[in-house]
Amino acid sequence: MLTRFSRRGFAKAAGASALGSAASFEARAQPAASTPPGFPAGFLWGTATASYQVEGAVQEDGRGASIWDTFSHTPGKVRNDDTGDIAVDHYHRYKDDVQLMKALGVGAYRFSIAWPRVFPQGTGAANPKGLDFYDRLIDALLASGIAPWATLYHWDLPQALQDRGGWESRDTARAFADYAGHVAARIGDRVKHLFTHNEISAFIELGYGQGIHAPGLRLPPRRLNQARHHAVLGHGLAVQAIRAAARPDVKVGPAENINVCVPVIETDEHIRAAERATRELNAGYLTVMLEGRYTEAFLAWTGADAPTFTAEDLAAIASPLDFVGINIYAPHNYVRAAPDAPSGFALAPITAGFPHMQTPWLKVGPEALHWGPRHVAKLWDVKDIYITENGCAGTDTPAADGIVYDTDRVMFVRNYLTQLQRATAAGVPVRGYFLWSLLDNFEWADGYASRFGLHHVDYATQKRTPKLSAGLYREIIARNALA
Ligand code: FCB
């Protein structure tokens, strides 16, 4: 099996195929004689959230139902039966939240647009009030000197589309493109960076494969492979629709959580093996999006259950991008060279005692933030990479003095950013970093128990309190360096 996740678990095995190469990256990426002390000039520092996780206001201004409303209201699906009905009330408190961002000094805010606010039925008539909230948010950000970066699909599919098959239906890919074009035409005057999907691999594997996220399905392989194909097709059609509808200065790319492969030891042979593994373990996602073909190993793995697709689909899926966003939390695999295996690589086990943050899936592997973008640059010669999510959860309880001493997150951010800086110093073209998340929020099936925010939220009062890590992040941003 090529990829298998438990909530961000680890892939189990690998296929076989030749490596695509982009020698030009290595030629460019010669380490500087002495490592510069900080991040490159103009490096973009940001923070991120997503609509269903923060907005609340699920019944306001004509919003339709999403699959996450349905799922979270189904008893037993979310820890403590929590829902996003109120979340952190960002819909009403966005002005205060923009001030929190301003205090951090971020240059950009990555938020997502709720499709069911814009098209309550997924297609058909647009809701006249559907984009008003985002207009207000965008204007408030710009007034504070913060660039709005908007994600079009962060998992809140209109329920009406799920009722017609969701991502199992090819029509959903077309509907997504129509929605993307509509939004781009309306906000492209002020929003210059759009993301198509957030983490296709997560919403397909967890939502349609394992059933632990909305819509809670456990599809057999053939149907799962087809849903995955429709999701990447939706990405490609949306890129085309945005190009057709928006001004030419609007840039577009995905925000994908690649399966990060770390070489077991940093020798040439293990590094090459980790590159091969990266290409194969992301074959249904970033690889097809950047190469316009499914690898031989992927097709061999899917076999008789391979998705149905056409050459036109592949061309659309590989529509040229302006940048690649990658969400990185943890290393997924440690990879070693296996000269006798057809693939040339093998996966070393993630040991039982491997350290993790509060959420067990979030293994502590700061080097993922070095190898993830490095492999993307090397394999596909990507010139502009953004880390569109990185962060960790904690329990984060205010101490008696009212301060939230999230020393675990401080440790995490320092160590991960040290590795990111190692990458930028070596010439890997990472242009920016978005810390997940601005605020504690609704963490999908974990409900409100896992807190990912730089700001603590008291869910009873909605009071926001900066954590210690917010102070750390403010310092890093101000210096454009770790120290
Ligand atoms: C990512 C999701 C984001 C959040 C973080 C912790 O996979 O994109 O919404 O849940 O994990």
Side-chain angles (χ1 to χ4, degrees):
M1 178 185 308
L2 202 61
T3 52
R4 255 282 151 275
F5 298 74
S6 55
R7 167 76 171 154
R8 318 3 146 59
F10 300 104
K12 289 231 177 71
S17 165
L19 167 68
S21 77
S24 53
F25 163 72
E26 291 234 308
R28 281 198 313 275
Q30 294 304 320
S34 65
T35 305
F39 287 86
F43 193 80
L44 183 70
W45 294 102
T47 185
T49 64
S51 45
Y52 190 73
Q53 294 181 275
V54 296
E55 285 177 3
V58 292
Q59 310 247 330
E60 269 175 65
D61 297 328
R63 177 185 179 277
S66 81
I67 56 174
W68 270 96
D69 296 285
T70 310
F71 190 75
S72 66
H73 280 270
T74 307
K77 297 294 185 194
V78 174
R79 194 188 314 187
N80 197 33
D81 285 340
D82 289 339
T83 74
D85 287 2
I86 297 170
V88 293
D89 198 28
H90 189 56
Y91 198 80
H92 300 113
R93 295 170 194 260
Y94 68 95
K95 282 189 184 154
D96 294 343
D97 294 339
V98 170
Q99 291 313 305
L100 298 177
M101 295 180 222
K102 201 172 169 185
L104 285 174
V106 293
Y109 176 45
R110 176 175 174 243
F111 59 95
S112 82
I113 293 176
W115 184 351
R117 288 199 193 279
V118 185
F119 290 98
Q121 298 304 310
T123 56
N127 169 18
K129 291 186 176 174
L131 281 164
D132 291 0
F133 163 66
Y134 302 104
D135 274 336
R136 293 192 292 273
L137 173 64
I138 291 163
D139 291 344
L141 289 164
L142 291 172
S144 289
I146 299 167
W149 290 50
T151 307
L152 291 160
Y153 185 70
H154 203 127
W155 306 356
D156 40 4
L157 186 73
Q159 180 61 46
L161 292 185
Q162 186 57 42
D163 295 343
R164 304 206 291 273
W167 291 105
E168 282 196 78
S169 165
R170 202 182 163 86
D171 293 345
T172 297
R174 185 69 261 160
F176 179 56
D178 292 344
Y179 150 71
H182 175 89
V183 173
R186 168 83 177 263
I187 67 174
D189 55 338
R190 289 154 295 151
V191 177
K192 300 302 174 191
H193 295 86
L194 290 174
F195 299 99
T196 53
H197 287 310
N198 179 73
E199 299 192 356
I200 303 176
S201 64
F203 73 77
I204 290 296
E205 307 297 335
L206 304 177
Y208 288 77
Q210 295 178 27
I212 58 176
H213 277 190
L217 300 176
R218 289 163 159 250
L219 298 180
R222 173 85 183 80
R223 288 170 62 189
L224 182 63
N225 294 336
Q226 197 64 48
R228 185 188 299 110
H229 177 73
H230 291 150
V232 288
L233 178 63
H235 154 82
L237 295 177
V239 172
Q240 295 179 346
I242 292 165
R243 300 258 188 250
R247 301 161 186 231
D249 62 347
V250 173
K251 296 190 188 323
V252 59
E256 190 55 32
N257 58 327
I258 59 163
N259 186 316
V260 180
C261 298
V262 175
V264 280
I265 302 173
E266 296 190 1
T267 60
D268 280 352
E269 56 161 355
H270 294 311
I271 292 171
R272 297 292 161 260
E275 289 165 4
R276 290 192 176 91
T278 299
R279 181 166 178 263
E280 293 301 356
L281 297 178
N282 294 288
Y285 303 105
L286 210 52
T287 306
V288 69
M289 286 154 69
L290 295 174
E291 296 186 18
R293 66 190 178 111
Y294 289 116
T295 67
E296 287 166 27
F298 177 83
L299 292 175
W301 168 64
T302 50
D305 293 321
T308 303
F309 61 89
T310 65
E312 290 75 40
D313 287 359
L314 294 177
I317 290 167
S319 296
L321 302 172
D322 298 304
F323 58 84
V324 170
I326 44 179
N327 296 356
I328 296 183
Y329 288 88
H332 291 81
N333 293 287
Y334 285 82
V335 175
R336 63 184 170 82
D340 296 337
S343 65
F345 66 86
L347 307 182
I350 298 282
T351 48
F354 206 98
H356 63 79
M357 304 302 290
Q358 184 236 348
T359 39
W361 59 266
L362 210 168
K363 310 292 179 201
V364 184
E367 65 271 37
L369 215 43
H370 168 255
W371 288 108
R374 191 177 175 115
H375 292 327
V376 169
K378 169 79 191 301
L379 284 169
W380 298 296
D381 202 18
V382 175
K383 303 282 196 306
D384 291 291
I385 298 173
Y386 291 89
I387 304 301
T388 33
E389 287 182 27
N390 173 246
C392 68
T395 44
D396 298 342
T397 319
D401 60 7
I403 296 175
V404 181
Y405 294 101
D406 56 341
T407 50
D408 49 354
R409 183 171 294 101
V410 166
M411 175 281 292
F412 180 97
V413 170
R414 273 198 193 122
N415 283 285
Y416 272 69
L417 286 180
T418 299
Q419 290 287 328
L420 185 63
Q421 206 245 316
R422 180 183 165 210
T424 55
V428 180
V430 180
R431 311 297 181 200
Y433 169 92
F434 293 80
L435 203 153
W436 183 275
S437 177
L438 173 68
L439 301 158
D440 291 341
N441 60 48
F442 176 80
E443 176 50 19
W444 309 114
D446 283 349
Y448 294 100
S450 295
R451 295 174 172 272
F452 272 87
L454 289 166
H455 297 89
H456 178 269
V457 178
D458 178 334
Y459 292 118
T461 63
Q462 295 292 349
K463 180 168 184 281
R464 278 85 159 126
T465 306
K467 302 178 190 173
L468 205 56
S469 56
L472 170 76
Y473 198 41
R474 191 175 57 234
E475 277 301 312
I476 293 171
I477 293 171
R479 299 177 195 188
N480 201 34
L482 277 157

